[in-house]
Amino acid sequence: MLKQFRNQKRLLSVFLWLVIAAFIGTIFLVWGVGSRNQSSSNYALRVNEYKVSYEEYQNSYQNTVDTLRQLFGNQSEQMPSNEEIQKQVITELKNKYLLLGQANKLNIPVSDTEVMNELTNISSFLQNGQFSPERYTNILRANGLTPAAFEQSLKEDIKISKLRNMIRNSTRVTPSEIKKEYTYRNTEAKIRYISFSPSSFKDSVNIKDEDLRAYFVENKENYRIPEEIKLKYIEFDPRDFDFKTNITQQEMESYYFQNKSEFSQPEKVRASHILIRVKNFDNETEVKNARNKIENILAQLKKGKDFSEMAKKYSEDASAQNGGDLGYFKKGEMIKEFENTAFSLETGKISGIVKTPFGFHIIKVTDHQKAKELTFQEAKDSIAEKLKERNKEQYFNDRVFNIYSKILKASNISAYQSKNDNITVHTTKYFNTYENVFPLEGKPDVKRQLFNLPETEVSNVIDIGDKKYIFEVADRKDSYVPEFSKIEEKVRQDYIQEQSIQKARNYAEKLLKENKNIESISDSVNKNYTTTPFFKRAESIPGIGINSKLTDDIFASEKGSTLDKPYTINSRVYLVELADIKTPDFPAEKDHPDIRNFIANIKSEAALNSYISKLESNAEIWVAPSLRDYIGN
């Protein structure tokens, strides 16, 4: 069961879908509530008595897409396809209502207190860090919801979460499973290999015109020129807008009394520390050396050595250059073990040895500020600056949207420019979705939005950094595949490269048939082989790189055996022999929490999936015809 989760691509896929599953469970918190027993027959999915509206499906889909875009950032091209996302959204909605129905059958209780605790921790309903009843009701009203309906859905979500946890917590991790996984992770291999460069075979590639054209026809999508657009845009920089404002005493006082919680200063300490790092607490030698070192430093401090000088000399933290000074911090900003010690020390006192996941620390508190409320006089200057900044921002926004309204009235930027010579309109070069062009660098979502914009239509006002922009598609070039004659040289190079790799592979296969091992192959071609140092499964293969298939085959082989096929990695062809393999001694006296958690997560997810499968086998499930393609029915 564990093996299928070890492949790196599979792990990434599982991780993403776990993110989606967790996210979908809370979608209704802002977007709407799922319905039960709708009177309308127009719904996307039915799970027993529960009917999922198209609106809930669409909201779930959009929220999932938004979450994945945040997760992938600038690597949006690696996101799952729309079809994959749609399939997973349908699956998770189906699972949600299967579990809800079962939770109701089991009478899993959810108290009003639990609902309120969950409700008051939803970030959308917080104002200045506190739950705001007014904000709560306003957001619900804006989404067409009532508090009663929302809280009922929240109660159902908690009920589902409880059932999920009950199922997940039903699994146990055995010592033999931990040992097996430890051995799997820490087994090491050493290989011998010979590599062949395709460039050595290029001269033997016979190029026929008909073969070249056939290669182009077969691979012509590789040569497709993507769609390109050219944009007109107006840039609004707040620094270009002259704005002056006078803040009155009454405005400042009003702000102070309406935002009292903002002027509460929490308890803070200022501390310095000396850190001796431990990279791996399972490494007894490393831990012992680090502890001996920190104990020696503590002994010197007790004899009166200067803390700052000792930190500069011994601390393995970036703060060492400042004598270990970390500045002021409040509770929640440091790791718990460090924080507990720092806040318990009196000013000027030095702690004993404090263990954290980073290593061993010695802490000295240099100041302690008690929590306090700022008076109006103490807060006055900061309030004035804040109000000036707020008014300036409002003025800037008003000016931009005033111009935006005029542009819309004129129909687009081009028409507006023809009547307003004083406005500066910029024009980009032609570019595709893969290119970076100012001002869209690092903004794939904005770029996608603009590529979907019809020609001459105006975009919304878009924030990029501290500036605002209005865009218009000035021109568009459709995607196309160039004629063969125009890219013949590029096709020729690609064809030669592919044929060269194939010839290298054929040559390597011939050598494998004629020789027993890497040493005899080396002798037959008068070419030295390379012997790697020992490496683990999760590590890059020294001199070759990361290749999951080759790694799996190496660790599945017997010592001294030559792998029975060549491997093409980064356009080189490799013949590989397992020179040695060694399994580690298992330290049974240790707990191995990382391995335990890894196995527990896999087994708990497997238990949950099995439970849901059983529920599904006894359920009545109907999916709208327009969505059935995404579930393989």
Side-chain angles (χ1 to χ4, degrees):
M1 181 180 69
L2 300 181
K3 185 176 180 181
Q4 62 181 319
F5 283 84
R6 293 196 179 99
N7 180 275
Q8 289 181 344
K9 291 184 178 179
R10 175 64 176 154
L11 274 174
L12 175 61
S13 175
V14 170
F15 170 70
L16 289 178
W17 294 136
L18 290 178
V19 169
I20 294 172
F23 186 77
I24 289 178
T26 57
I27 279 171
F28 64 82
L29 296 183
V30 235
W31 288 100
V33 180
S35 57
R36 178 167 55 184
N37 293 327
Q38 296 179 13
S39 58
S40 170
S41 60
N42 186 24
Y43 48 85
L45 178 70
R46 186 181 70 240
V47 181
N48 293 325
E49 72 272 27
Y50 296 96
K51 296 176 181 178
V52 182
S53 68
Y54 276 100
E55 182 182 12
E56 182 176 0
Y57 164 76
Q58 289 293 346
N59 288 336
S60 300
Y61 172 78
Q62 190 57 54
N63 277 271
T64 301
V65 170
D66 292 343
T67 299
L68 287 172
R69 283 176 179 169
Q70 291 177 20
L71 182 65
F72 279 94
N74 293 337
Q75 297 178 314
S76 58
E77 69 280 356
Q78 297 182 19
M79 274 180 58
S81 67
N82 287 338
E83 289 75 14
E84 290 175 311
I85 296 172
Q86 287 172 313
K87 179 179 179 180
Q88 196 61 32
V89 167
I90 293 169
T91 298
E92 293 304 331
L93 285 170
K94 176 191 66 181
N95 293 349
K96 170 183 173 180
Y97 288 106
L98 284 170
L99 290 171
L100 178 58
Q102 183 66 6
N104 286 330
K105 286 181 182 178
L106 296 174
N107 292 317
I108 294 176
V110 178
S111 67
D112 291 341
T113 301
E114 288 176 296
V115 174
M116 287 308 299
N117 286 340
E118 191 73 25
L119 180 65
T120 54
N121 281 303
I122 296 173
S123 59
S124 301
F125 304 145
L126 302 184
Q127 192 166 14
N128 298 322
Q130 300 292 321
F131 176 73
S132 168
E134 183 180 3
R135 183 177 177 83
Y136 169 55
T137 54
N138 286 341
I139 288 177
L140 292 187
R141 189 180 300 113
N143 284 276
L145 302 174
T146 65
F150 178 79
E151 287 160 24
Q152 176 60 30
S153 285
L154 186 55
K155 188 173 185 177
E156 291 177 349
D157 198 54
I158 296 170
K159 192 176 290 189
I160 294 169
S161 179
K162 282 187 170 185
L163 178 56
R164 285 180 184 269
N165 290 335
M166 284 169 56
I167 300 165
R168 288 190 176 110
N169 293 336
S170 67
T171 62
R172 295 290 180 269
V173 178
T174 66
S176 62
E177 288 173 326
I178 294 175
K179 181 179 180 180
K180 186 176 181 180
E181 180 65 18
Y182 179 90
T183 302
Y184 183 92
R185 292 185 182 194
N186 293 285
T187 296
E188 294 181 300
K190 178 195 291 186
I191 63 170
R192 300 187 185 101
Y193 69 84
I194 293 178
S195 68
F196 303 93
S197 171
S199 60
S200 303
F201 299 86
K202 282 186 176 180
D203 292 341
S204 64
V205 176
N206 183 25
I207 307 173
K208 296 181 180 178
D209 186 61
E210 59 267 28
D211 293 338
L212 210 58
R213 289 182 178 275
Y215 177 82
F216 168 70
V217 170
E218 186 178 345
N219 298 279
K220 63 181 179 180
E221 283 303 313
N222 293 341
Y223 303 99
R224 178 173 290 280
I225 304 298
E227 178 188 27
E228 293 182 321
I229 61 172
K230 180 168 69 174
L231 298 172
K232 286 186 177 182
Y233 67 91
I234 303 174
E235 177 185 85
F236 300 93
D237 188 333
R239 289 165 292 193
D240 295 337
F241 290 78
D242 186 27
F243 175 73
K244 295 178 182 178
T245 183
N246 293 319
I247 306 300
T248 67
Q249 178 85 0
Q250 183 178 353
E251 287 177 307
M252 288 187 287
E253 288 178 351
S254 176
Y255 185 89
Y256 176 78
F257 288 110
Q258 288 177 12
N259 299 275
K260 288 281 286 187
S261 61
E262 189 179 319
F263 305 104
S264 298
Q265 286 192 349
E267 179 186 12
K268 292 182 180 180
V269 297
R270 183 173 185 173
S272 300
H273 79 140
I274 297 170
L275 169 65
I276 302 300
R277 291 189 180 275
V278 176
K279 294 181 180 178
N280 181 9
F281 275 99
D282 288 334
N283 187 325
E284 293 181 359
T285 302
E286 182 186 5
V287 173
K288 183 179 179 181
N289 290 340
R291 182 168 280 281
N292 288 341
K293 193 172 181 179
I294 199 77
E295 286 175 349
N296 179 54
I297 294 169
L298 183 59
Q300 293 184 62
L301 290 170
K302 288 180 178 179
K303 291 178 182 178
K305 289 281 189 179
D306 182 74
F307 192 97
S308 177
E309 292 303 317
M310 294 290 284
K312 289 178 181 177
K313 186 174 182 180
Y314 295 110
S315 184
E316 298 172 355
D317 184 64
S319 64
Q321 60 185 349
N322 300 321
D325 183 30
L326 296 168
Y328 286 96
F329 54 88
K330 60 187 178 183
K331 290 182 179 179
E333 291 183 340
M334 293 291 181
I335 200 162
K336 201 65 179 173
E337 300 93 332
F338 190 99
E339 177 187 288
N340 290 343
T341 301
F343 277 88
S344 66
L345 284 173
E346 296 179 10
T347 301
K349 296 294 184 180
I350 295 174
S351 73
I353 297 170
V354 179
K355 178 184 174 183
T356 75
F358 298 106
F360 297 109
H361 308 251
I362 300 171
I363 304 168
K364 180 180 180 181
V365 171
T366 54
D367 194 18
H368 199 137
Q369 294 181 351
K370 294 182 178 180
K372 72 168 186 175
E373 298 276 345
L374 291 180
T375 65
F376 172 71
Q377 288 303 321
E378 290 172 323
K380 183 177 179 181
D381 290 343
S382 67
I383 293 173
E385 286 304 313
K386 183 169 291 188
L387 290 177
K388 284 179 183 177
E389 196 59 36
R390 187 178 72 179
N391 291 351
K392 182 178 180 181
E393 183 179 348
Q394 185 60 51
Y395 173 78
F396 174 61
N397 289 339
D398 289 345
R399 287 289 304 275
V400 171
F401 281 98
N402 180 47
I403 294 173
Y404 181 62
S405 298
K406 291 178 180 177
I407 290 172
L408 292 179
K409 189 173 182 180
S411 78
N412 55 36
I413 291 175
S414 302
Y416 178 74
Q417 183 185 18
S418 66
K419 299 178 182 178
N420 296 270
D421 296 334
N422 60 330
I423 198 77
T424 301
V425 176
H426 306 273
T427 305
T428 68
K429 65 172 187 176
Y430 284 99
F431 65 96
N432 61 50
T433 54
Y434 308 105
E435 290 181 283
N436 272 328
V437 62
F438 182 85
L440 302 175
E441 295 98 331
K443 296 291 180 182
D445 286 349
V446 176
K447 200 183 296 182
R448 269 195 302 272
Q449 176 186 338
L450 295 175
F451 265 83
N452 290 330
L453 200 66
E455 198 169 323
T456 74
E457 191 168 311
V458 177
S459 72
N460 296 324
V461 177
I462 296 173
D463 292 317
I464 301 178
D466 60 348
K467 299 176 183 178
K468 294 183 182 294
Y469 293 84
I470 302 171
F471 294 94
E472 173 193 329
V473 176
D475 196 14
R476 185 184 302 273
K477 292 181 178 179
D478 292 336
S479 171
Y480 69 99
V481 177
E483 295 178 10
F484 172 76
S485 59
K486 294 185 177 179
I487 56 169
E488 183 175 354
E489 186 54 37
K490 169 64 177 168
V491 176
R492 182 184 303 275
Q493 291 173 6
D494 291 345
Y495 177 78
I496 292 172
Q497 177 69 7
E498 183 181 279
Q499 292 298 309
S500 298
I501 291 174
Q502 187 56 52
K503 284 181 175 291
R505 287 185 63 86
N506 294 341
Y507 180 64
E509 287 171 353
K510 180 174 179 291
L511 291 173
L512 274 176
K513 291 178 181 178
E514 296 173 350
N515 298 274
K516 294 181 179 180
N517 53 39
I518 290 294
E519 189 170 352
S520 62
I521 291 173
S522 173
D523 291 339
S524 70
V525 297
N526 195 26
K527 182 181 178 70
N528 291 333
Y529 60 79
T530 300
T531 302
T532 70
F534 279 102
F535 60 92
K536 297 178 182 178
R537 297 174 191 266
E539 297 173 342
S540 173
I541 303 172
I544 295 179
I546 295 174
N547 185 279
S548 59
K549 176 58 178 169
L550 175 55
T551 297
D552 287 345
D553 290 349
I554 288 170
F555 282 92
S557 300
E558 294 183 4
K559 178 180 175 179
S561 64
T562 302
L563 275 60
D564 62 359
K565 61 183 177 183
Y567 294 82
T568 304
I569 303 169
N570 297 326
S571 295
R572 290 187 73 86
V573 176
Y574 294 85
L575 293 177
V576 179
E577 175 183 284
L578 178 58
D580 198 5
I581 191 163
K582 58 182 182 180
T583 55
D585 293 329
F586 177 66
E589 70 280 1
K590 293 188 177 179
D591 188 41
H592 307 287
D594 58 330
I595 294 177
R596 182 180 296 277
N597 290 337
F598 172 79
I599 298 173
N601 286 338
I602 289 175
K603 293 186 74 173
S604 63
E605 284 305 314
L608 180 60
N609 291 336
S610 176
Y611 192 91
I612 291 173
S613 293
K614 289 178 182 177
L615 292 177
E616 185 173 356
S617 66
N618 296 313
E620 292 184 7
I621 298 174
W622 179 90
V623 179
S626 59
L627 301 178
R628 286 175 189 168
D629 287 344
Y630 302 122
I631 59 171
N633 289 346

